[in-house]
Amino acid sequence: MRLILRVNGEEHRLEVEPRRLLADALREDLGLTGTHLGCEQGACGACTVLLDGGAVRSCLLFAVQAEGAEVTTVEALSPGGVLHPLQEAFRDHHALQCGFCTPGMLLTAVDLLARNPAPSAGEVREELSGNLCRCTGYQRIVAAVLDAAARLRGARPAAGAAAGAAAGWADHPPQP
Ligand code: FES
Ligand code: FES
């Protein structure tokens, strides 16, 4: 069937089977491989994208269900290579290791911060509890989301990267 998908501000015309999953349409038909597929059954959150601003599992939606909506994938967070404050904070706090869960974590956090610009650590944990990470232990992810929230509110300048670079550990800060 013919389908028009609006993704990251661009309209795409696709010919897909009705059973085509949104995740597969994004990855295989549009080449947007930043959306990761882990469990493919709604349990891990790696495939999270935004549908009209709300976080959804793209492995649990058919592509046709996204017609008429605005889909946002992780690729939209850094237009022209300029990192989103959340991405800067993840980098600065060493909140990713293999990075497999990271796109889902980022988009879940984008949704959270749009609804709640000043979440508590407990609220961040609650919101991210549906996203599984095998590497980080979550503490650094929570710290990164809280820091990004402060940066987005203007409460703290995005100076972590500069300070980290000056100290020589921007990408790999020392472990506690
Ligand atoms: S791949 Fe969709 S929730 Fe795991
Ligand atoms: S960074 Fe590896 S799964 Fe989260």
Side-chain angles (χ1 to χ4, degrees):
M1 62 183 293
R2 289 203 183 136
L3 170 68
I4 299 176
L5 266 191
R6 192 167 169 78
V7 183
N8 300 338
E10 279 182 36
E11 224 167 67
H12 302 270
R13 288 169 195 278
L14 303 176
E15 184 74 41
V16 297
E17 289 189 43
R19 63 179 179 173
R20 189 74 159 158
L21 294 175
L22 177 58
D24 291 333
L26 293 171
R27 288 177 54 84
E28 294 173 24
D29 298 324
L30 301 182
L32 295 169
T33 53
T35 299
H36 292 167
L37 276 168
C39 66
E40 300 189 58
Q41 56 181 4
C44 75
C47 66
T48 300
V49 299
L50 302 182
L51 198 69
D52 286 337
V56 296
R57 306 283 209 235
S58 61
C59 74
L60 294 184
L61 283 174
F62 294 118
V64 293
Q65 291 176 282
E67 190 162 38
E70 178 70 40
V71 180
T72 305
T73 70
V74 71
E75 284 86 354
L77 294 190
S78 48
V82 178
L83 296 184
H84 186 283
L86 270 164
Q87 292 171 309
E88 287 187 335
F90 268 60
R91 176 194 62 197
D92 297 346
H93 287 270
H94 200 39
L96 68 156
Q97 290 180 33
C98 79
F100 193 81
C101 70
T102 310
M105 291 285 183
L106 289 169
L107 290 169
T108 301
V110 167
D111 177 17
L112 162 65
L113 297 184
R115 288 179 285 110
N116 181 0
S120 66
E123 287 169 332
V124 171
R125 287 185 188 283
E126 174 73 24
E127 291 276 343
L128 294 181
S129 63
N131 292 64
L132 303 183
C133 177
R134 294 176 184 218
C135 306
T136 67
Y138 299 92
Q139 186 55 40
R140 291 172 179 276
I141 295 174
V142 173
V145 173
L146 291 171
D147 190 11
R151 294 180 191 195
L152 286 162
R153 292 195 308 272
R156 186 170 118 50
W169 47 263
D171 291 328
H172 299 285
Q175 301 294 310

